[in-house]
Amino acid sequence: MRRSLRVLQLQETPAASAVVALVVVFSIASAHFRTVSNINDLLLTSLFVLFVAIGMTFVLTAGGIDLSVGSVMGLGGAITGLLLEHGAGTTLALAGGLMSGVVVGLLNGLVITRLKLADFMVTLASLSIVQGIVEMMTANQPINYSGNALGNLSGATVGPVSVAVIYAVVITVIMAFILRFTSFGRAIFAVGMNPRAARLSGINVEATRVLAYVVSGFMAALAGVFLASYLSTVQALQGSGYELEAIAAAVIGGTSLLGGKGSVWGAALGALLLGTLQNGLVLASLSGYWFDVVEGAVIVAAVALGGGLQVLRTIAIPVESRRARAAG
Amino acid sequence: MKPVDKPIVEVRGVSKRFPGVPALDDVSFDIRAGEVLALVGENGAGKSTLVKILSGVYRPDSGSVVLRGKVVSLHDPHQAQALGITTVYQETTLVPGFTPVQNIFLGRELRQGPFLDEHLMKKKARSLLREFDTDESILDMPVEGIGALRQKVVEVLKGLAFEAALVILDEPTAPLTDREREALFGHIRRLKERDVAVLLVTHRLEELLEIADRAIVLRDGRYVGSVEPRETGIRQLVQMMVGRDVESVVPFDAGGADMAGGADELLRVEGLTREGVLKDIAFSVRSGEILGVAGLAGSGRTELVRVLVGADKADTGAIMKAGRKLRLKSPKDAIQNGLALAPEERKVQGVFQTFSVAKNVSAAGLRHVLKFRFFINERAESRLARDYVSRLSIRTPSVSQEMRLLSGGNQQKVLIARYLVANAEVLILDEPTQGIDVGAKSDIYGLIQEHVRAGGAAIVVSSELDDLIRLSNRVLVMREGRIAGEIEGTRGRQLKMEEHRLLDEDVLHLAAGVAE
C-alpha cells in the first residue's frame, strides 16, 4: 500500500505511464513500429529535444525560462562545422561549438541577474540576436557536415543501437545526477522555490541562476551539433521551434514553470513521449499537422494529470503520516 | 469638543474565535458621531480582528453591530462601505498607475449611458479635495508619484466619496513624516466637524493626546476599559495594555543572569548607519548573552538585523566579530563568519515549502554533508536532520516529510536547526514566536537559552515584550532607526509581577518616545 503511494508521489509517473501506454498502443497498431530499427530511429530523433529539455529543466527549476535555445542550437552546429571546415581537430571543433553555447548562456544569465531584467524578455532578445549572427555565418553557403569527422554520428552503431543514443543515455544520467545529488543542483531548487530564503541560507542566488543558463546554453549547443550531424548541414533556422518543444517536454515530465520543481528524468520521458507520438503518427500516415494538435493536447493532459496527482498526494500523505505516527 | 451623545455605532458582545484561540471575547463599546475614538492594545490583543469585523471582512461568532440604532449584518467590505463604514487599511489599496480620480471611483465609476462620466467624477473628486485643502493639481497624476500623505488622503477620500458615518483608520501614520502626520490630523478634525465618527488604530500612544477624544483598550481579546487620554495621561493607558497575570512562557534560566559576566565579546557594532532606516547604531554582545531588541513596527529592528547578516548594506559603520572587522556582501559571508538570521515572515523568507524537513535543515550548512565539496551524501543529510529533530523535539513523522505539512511552531524549530547546523555562533532571530502556539514558544525560548549556554550568543527581535524582557540579559529599544535606550532584562532573575510590569512600561515609553 505504502509503496504504491510512493509511486504516486513521483512527478515522473504521468509521463512514464503515458510513454508506456503509447508504445503499447503503437506496437499493437503497427508491426513496423516495434522493429528495432524504428525504435532506434525514434530514439535518435528524440535526442535533440531531449538535450535542450534537460538544459531547460535546470533553468525552469531555478525559476527562469530560456527562449534562446533554438538559435543556440544553430550557433553550436555552425561554429563546430566552420572549425572543422577550417581544419581544426574534432575535439577543438566540438569544444568551440559547445563553448559558444556556454558564452550565450553566460551572457543571458549575467544580463538577467545584473540588470535585473525579465528572463523571458532577455532570452527572447538573445534568440533574435543569435539567430542573426548564425544567419550571417551561414548566409553564403550552408555549412556542410557530410564529409567531416562528426558527419556520421547517427550512422555509427553498436549492435543495433546508434552510438549517439548511447551518448545521450550517458549525458542524461550525468545531468540527472547533477540536478539531484550535488550542492549546485540543490541550490537550483532552493533558488527557484524561494530566492529570499535561499539568500538568507547563504546560497549565492545570482551565481546559481547564471550557471543554470550556462547549462542550458551548453546543452542547446550540444543538441545543435547532434542535429547538424544528423541533417548533414547547418542552416540558421534549423533549431527554431525547439525552445517550445523543450519547454513542453520538461513540463510533461513534471517540471514547474514557477520554479522549485523539476526532474531530468521527467524531461527525458517528456522528450521520449513527444518523439514516440511523432513517430507513431507518421506510421499511422497522419499528416504532420496532426502532431501539433496532439502535442498540444498531451501538454494539457500532462499538466492536468500532474495537478490531479498533486491532489491525490495531498490526501494520501497525511494518511501515511498518521499511520507512521500511530506506528511510532 | 463636545461629541454628540447619541452613539452612531454600537458593538454588542462581539466574540470571534480562530482555531484554538479566542481572538475577541465578548467585546462591547460605542462610537459617537463626531468622536475620534482610539483603539489600543498590544500585538495580538484583537485590534485587527475587531477592525475586520467592523469592515465586513470577518463575521463575528456571536454578538452584533448596531449602526444608527439598527442591527446590521456586515458580510463583505463593499456592503459595509455602502452602509457607511469606511476602512482605510494599513496597506495601500490604491492602483499605483491610476490617478486619484480613477482610484476614488474604482469599481463604482459614475456613468452616463454606457460611457464613463469623467467630467462628473472629476468634479466630485475636486470638491472633496478642496474640502481637504489638498492641491488639485494631483488629480491627473498617477498616485505612485504624489507622496505618502496624499496617497493616504486619497485613500480616505475613496471612503468619503460615498457618505460615511464611521471612518476606520488602521495605523494611518505609520508611513508618514511628522509634518504629514500633523496634516492628516487636520483632516481628521475636519471629519469630526462633519459629524463623522473616526476609529483610530495606532501604536503611537503620544498621538492620542493630540487627536483622540477617548481610547478603548483591548487585552487578550477582551475589552479592558475606556479612558480619556488627555485626562489620564499615557501611563494609565500603558498599564491597562500590559497588565496581565499569566505565568510567563519563558522557561526560567537559572544562572542566566551572570552568564555573560566576564565572557568574551563576540560581536561589536559601531556607528552603523543606513540612509533613511538606521542611524548610528552601536552595541556589543558577549558570548553567553541574549540581547533583546524591542521597538514598534517600522522602528528599524528588522532593518538592523538584516544589515547585521549582510542581507542589506550599511552606508557606514563597522560590524566586528571577536575584534575582527567583517566585510559582509551577502548572508553567505555572514554565515561563513558565524552570524545567521532566522528571518521574520517565516513562510516568505525562511521555509522551502516543498523541500523535505531534511533539506530544510541542511540548507545553510550543506557543506557538512558534502563529499568532495560537491556531492550530497543523502544518508549523512538524513542522519543530521534526525539528530536535530530529536534534539529540538520537532514533531514530524519523518525527516522526509515535506516542510509545508508541519505546523508553524515546528517549522520555526526547523529554521532554528538550520542555522544551528550552519554553526551560527551569533544566532539572530526576528520575531521567532510569530503566530505559533504557547507550547512551541516555550520550546523555542528554551532552545535559545541552550544555544547561549553552550557559548554562543543570541540577538532576538520580538514584539512580545514581556517574553523578551524575561528572555534577555539586556533589551535594546529602537525608535525611528536609533537605539532609544537600553533596559536590563530579567533573564535568570526572579522578579515580582509588579516589577516586570514597570519594565514593560519603560520599554513601551522608550519605543513610543514618551517622556517620563
Side-chain angles (χ1 to χ4, degrees):
Chain A
M1 182 63 194
R2 286 191 55 186
R3 187 135 311 166
S4 65
L5 287 174
R6 282 275 150 67
V7 174
L8 277 183
Q9 287 174 39
L10 291 175
Q11 64 190 32
E12 296 88 353
T13 303
S17 348
V19 170
V20 171
L22 271 186
V23 169
V24 169
V25 169
F26 286 139
S27 300
I28 293 166
S30 157
H32 183 70
F33 180 85
R34 52 182 191 259
T35 60
V36 172
S37 78
N38 182 56
I39 298 288
N40 187 50
D41 225 39
L42 184 165
L43 293 174
L44 206 50
T45 48
S46 304
L47 287 190
F48 321 117
V49 174
L50 168 69
F51 287 158
V52 182
I54 288 173
M56 189 68 77
T57 298
F58 277 67
V59 173
L60 291 175
T61 307
I65 191 163
D66 188 353
L67 298 180
S68 70
V69 286
S71 300
V72 175
M73 285 177 75
L75 184 70
I79 286 188
T80 301
L82 279 176
L83 286 171
L84 286 172
E85 263 180 23
H86 288 83
T90 318
T91 315
L92 179 63
L94 193 58
L98 298 182
M99 195 45 94
S100 72
V102 167
V103 169
V104 174
L106 192 64
L107 290 175
N108 279 338
L110 286 176
V111 170
I112 288 165
T113 54
R114 296 287 144 149
L115 303 183
K116 298 187 169 43
L117 298 178
D119 305 59
F120 188 97
M121 292 318 300
V122 171
T123 56
L124 185 63
S126 62
L127 172 74
S128 169
I129 293 168
V130 173
Q131 185 177 310
I133 292 170
V134 181
E135 272 166 348
M136 284 185 249
M137 289 164 65
T138 58
N140 300 326
Q141 68 238 42
I143 297 158
N144 198 343
Y145 263 64
S146 51
N148 74 29
L150 291 169
N152 200 23
L153 259 177
S154 52
T157 56
V158 176
V161 186
S162 287
V163 175
V165 172
I166 295 169
Y167 285 146
V169 172
V170 172
I171 289 167
T172 305
V173 169
I174 292 173
M175 298 311 281
F177 184 85
I178 290 177
L179 188 60
R180 182 76 178 70
F181 292 109
T182 67
S183 51
F184 168 56
R186 183 64 63 78
I188 295 237
F189 279 97
V191 164
M193 197 180 298
N194 190 341
R196 294 172 74 182
R199 185 154 180 265
L200 286 172
S201 300
I203 291 168
N204 190 334
V205 175
E206 281 76 25
T208 303
R209 295 181 65 196
V210 171
L211 278 178
Y213 280 99
V214 167
V215 170
S216 178
F218 175 87
M219 291 305 292
L222 186 66
V225 174
F226 273 76
L227 183 63
S229 164
Y230 182 75
L231 298 174
S232 299
T233 180
V234 178
Q235 290 157 3
L237 290 174
Q238 74 188 14
S240 87
Y242 272 92
E243 57 281 341
L244 297 183
E245 295 266 311
I247 292 169
V251 169
I252 290 169
T255 296
S256 166
L257 290 181
L258 301 174
K261 186 164 171 275
S263 152
V264 167
W265 291 119
L269 287 164
L272 214 52
L273 179 62
L274 294 179
T276 309
L277 211 52
Q278 189 155 31
N279 182 287
L281 291 179
V282 169
L283 290 182
S285 44
L286 284 169
S287 96
Y289 304 126
W290 274 105
F291 171 71
D292 295 337
V293 175
V294 176
E295 182 188 3
V298 167
I299 293 170
V300 174
V303 176
L305 194 58
L309 281 182
Q310 186 70 41
V311 173
L312 262 181
R313 256 174 253 153
T314 332
I315 298 166
I317 287 175
V319 173
E320 196 184 346
S321 317
R322 268 200 298 281
R323 203 170 293 143
R325 219 173 289 146
Chain B
M1 194 250 338
K2 53 158 187 45
V4 184
D5 265 326
K6 164 187 61 133
I8 196 151
V9 175
E10 299 164 60
V11 173
R12 293 278 161 263
V14 164
S15 296
K16 177 81 187 170
R17 290 182 67 84
F18 291 110
V21 278
L24 279 181
D25 190 1
D26 193 24
V27 171
S28 303
F29 64 95
D30 298 339
I31 312 174
R32 290 161 222 150
E35 180 183 41
V36 178
L37 179 66
L39 178 59
V40 297
E42 289 190 296
N43 289 329
K47 292 173 304 199
S48 58
T49 308
L50 185 57
V51 166
K52 282 178 177 157
I53 283 173
L54 283 173
S55 59
V57 177
Y58 293 158
R59 307 188 66 169
D61 295 337
S62 60
S64 59
V65 177
V66 180
L67 181 68
R68 294 196 190 91
K70 267 181 279 178
V71 174
V72 288
S73 152
L74 303 168
H75 45 75
D76 79 72
H78 272 105
Q79 178 243 5
Q81 190 157 62
L83 287 172
I85 299 178
T86 286
T87 308
V88 178
Y89 294 99
Q90 198 171 348
E91 305 86 35
T92 179
T93 56
L94 301 179
V95 181
F98 277 14
T99 65
V101 181
Q102 287 167 325
N103 268 299
I104 288 168
F105 292 95
L106 187 65
R108 50 188 187 197
E109 288 81 358
L110 305 177
R111 285 164 212 280
Q112 197 173 36
F115 303 106
L116 296 180
D117 191 343
E118 306 251 8
H119 183 72
L120 183 62
M121 286 194 282
K122 200 163 171 181
K123 209 175 112 188
K124 276 201 152 194
R126 188 178 296 131
S127 75
L128 279 167
L129 271 184
R130 209 173 292 144
E131 203 175 324
F132 276 76
D133 262 349
T134 302
D135 188 0
E136 286 171 34
S137 66
I138 65 166
L139 276 180
D140 297 315
M141 303 192 320
V143 294
E144 61 196 345
I146 64 175
L149 171 68
R150 285 151 159 190
Q151 282 178 4
K152 223 32 168 188
V153 171
V154 172
E155 296 255 16
V156 175
L157 292 185
K158 201 175 154 185
L160 296 186
F162 296 78
E163 275 310 302
L166 170 66
V167 175
I168 303 172
L169 299 168
D170 191 0
E171 294 280 351
T173 58
L176 303 183
T177 64
D178 285 350
R179 246 186 54 220
E180 290 175 332
R181 205 179 309 163
E182 285 309 315
L184 182 75
F185 289 165
H187 295 324
I188 291 177
R189 289 191 191 99
R190 237 153 290 151
L191 286 174
K192 264 173 76 80
E193 283 159 21
R194 287 175 34 182
D195 255 3
V196 175
V198 176
L199 183 66
L200 179 70
V201 183
T202 183
H203 269 115
R204 303 199 195 190
L205 299 180
E206 79 274 26
E207 290 177 0
L208 303 187
L209 297 176
E210 211 174 327
I211 192 73
D213 300 314
R214 205 155 58 91
I216 56 169
V217 183
L218 293 183
R219 192 203 307 147
D220 299 332
R222 291 201 185 83
Y223 174 83
V224 181
S226 152
V227 293
E228 294 185 10
R230 267 177 291 233
E231 305 288 311
T232 57
I234 300 291
R235 253 194 188 269
Q236 193 185 335
L237 206 60
V238 171
Q239 263 178 24
M240 290 169 75
M241 283 168 63
V242 299
R244 66 167 85 93
D245 317 335
V246 291
E247 272 304 310
S248 176
V249 298
V250 180
F252 183 69
D253 193 9
D258 317 315
M259 288 272 315
D264 296 336
E265 191 173 271
L266 258 186
L267 186 74
R268 178 173 202 85
V269 172
E270 281 173 4
L272 209 60
T273 298
R274 180 173 155 85
E275 187 61 39
V277 287
L278 293 177
K279 285 172 216 122
D280 202 20
I281 304 285
F283 66 86
S284 69
V285 192
R286 293 173 183 281
S287 127
E289 190 175 33
I290 301 176
L291 179 70
V293 180
L296 304 176
S299 61
R301 312 176 302 186
T302 293
E303 291 76 2
L304 171 62
V305 292
R306 285 182 60 82
V307 167
L308 287 183
V309 298
D312 293 329
K313 286 199 178 55
D315 297 325
T316 56
I319 300 168
M320 281 163 293
K321 172 96 185 301
R324 199 164 46 86
K325 188 172 172 182
L326 301 180
R327 292 183 55 196
L328 305 174
K329 283 182 300 214
S330 72
K332 188 179 178 180
D333 298 335
I335 287 172
Q336 277 165 358
N337 285 293
L339 257 79
L341 168 66
E344 62 170 356
E345 302 176 294
R346 180 168 59 237
K347 281 214 164 65
V348 186
Q349 301 194 50
V351 167
F352 295 108
Q353 296 276 0
T354 57
F355 268 174
S356 65
V357 169
K359 289 178 183 179
N360 270 284
V361 168
S362 68
L366 203 59
R367 63 198 145 94
H368 297 302
V369 296
L370 292 183
K371 284 184 290 197
F372 309 112
R373 306 186 62 198
F374 190 57
F375 302 106
I376 295 170
N377 181 346
E378 288 206 330
R379 208 173 299 161
E381 185 177 43
S382 296
R383 210 181 306 127
L384 180 78
R386 272 198 300 274
D387 181 28
Y388 277 87
V389 161
S390 74
R391 270 173 55 194
L392 275 54
S393 28
I394 297 169
R395 293 178 67 164
T396 176
S398 80
V399 295
S400 57
Q401 180 82 326
E402 275 186 36
M403 188 72 162
R404 66 194 169 90
L405 299 169
L406 268 58
S407 74
N410 284 303
Q411 288 187 357
Q412 188 68 42
K413 287 185 192 173
V414 170
L415 292 192
I416 292 177
R418 177 191 297 171
Y419 293 106
L420 291 176
V421 169
N423 289 344
E425 262 179 292
V426 182
L427 185 60
I428 305 171
L429 304 107
D430 194 356
E431 295 286 5
T433 55
Q434 204 170 44
I436 65 179
D437 62 44
V438 177
K441 266 184 202 176
S442 192
D443 286 352
I444 283 168
Y445 292 137
L447 291 176
I448 297 171
Q449 290 165 346
E450 202 175 304
H451 170 68
V452 301
R453 268 202 299 273
I459 300 176
V460 182
V461 175
S462 179
S463 299
E464 313 214 33
L465 202 47
D466 194 66
D467 292 357
L468 191 64
I469 289 170
R470 288 170 195 267
L471 180 70
S472 307
N473 296 87
R474 291 180 293 135
V475 177
L476 300 178
V477 185
M478 292 195 66
R479 181 167 156 262
E480 289 170 5
R482 294 176 188 277
I483 294 181
E486 185 180 313
I487 302 273
E488 209 173 336
T490 62
R491 179 176 174 219
R493 294 194 288 152
Q494 298 276 22
L495 262 70
K496 291 201 187 73
M497 192 66 87
E498 185 53 34
E499 291 169 297
H500 264 290
R501 198 167 300 165
L502 288 174
L503 283 175
D504 284 10
E505 288 174 19
D506 286 345
V507 172
L508 274 177
H509 285 131
L510 278 171
V514 184
E516 290 288 309

